[in-house]
Amino acid sequence: MASTMRRNLGLFFEDFAVGDVFRHPLGRTILDADNAWFTLLTLNTNELHFNSAVAAESQHGRPIVNSGFTVALILGLSVSDLSQNALANLGWNEIRLSAPVFVGDTLYAESIVTEVRESRSRPDAGILTCFTRGINQDGTEVLSYRRSVLILKRTRGTANRKFPDPQTSIVTRVGLDQAGN
């Protein structure tokens, strides 16, 4: 008999300890469209991000990726491990852009937990602080920052995860019996 597969619900406050290291599971190759769209959406008028002729005359000889996009991408890569159950980002500190990022680079993220503490104002949550860095396909660190997140405790977090009861089961809907035939 087939079973219903459960998706990973992410980690909760109780799951973290100082020193935990996460090599976040996905890498992401940056496309020209990513850089152009993000630059346009944020009204960034620096032509090094979208004008190949101007960028060709720069120290890098080609367009560089908007650093705001790089920060957002590294943050996004870390969510499944660190903040899937977050209530709020509390802040980013010590953001460092240590190497340029270009279209075609593939970025990965790695984090280490540096502090875990109870919230004084929210008994259903705690505060997680991590140091996160972005690394390109060559292993070069391109970005780093410290981030603090208000994250739910398990008892509160699981209460928000109820899949609605369908009027008809999916097994019945596709005509399978309980044995999967």
Side-chain angles (χ1 to χ4, degrees), residues 46-64 102:
N46 187 320
E47 291 184 278
L48 292 176
H49 302 306
F50 59 84
N51 186 327
S52 294
V54 169
E57 300 298 321
S58 74
Q59 66 182 358
H60 302 297
R62 58 187 166 154
I64 58 173
F102 302 101

Side-chain angles (χ1 to χ4, degrees), residues 41-93:
L41 285 170
T42 58
L43 299 176
N44 184 325
T45 59
N46 187 320
E47 291 184 278
L48 292 176
H49 302 306
F50 59 84
N51 186 327
S52 294
V54 169
E57 300 298 321
S58 74
Q59 66 182 358
H60 302 297
R62 58 187 166 154
I64 58 173
V65 171
N66 185 314
S67 57
F69 177 79
T70 305
V71 172
L73 177 57
I74 297 304
L75 169 66
L77 291 173
S78 74
V79 168
S80 65
D81 290 323
L82 300 179
S83 57
Q84 186 166 317
N85 290 304
L87 292 170
N89 284 304
L90 301 177
W92 290 268
N93 296 304

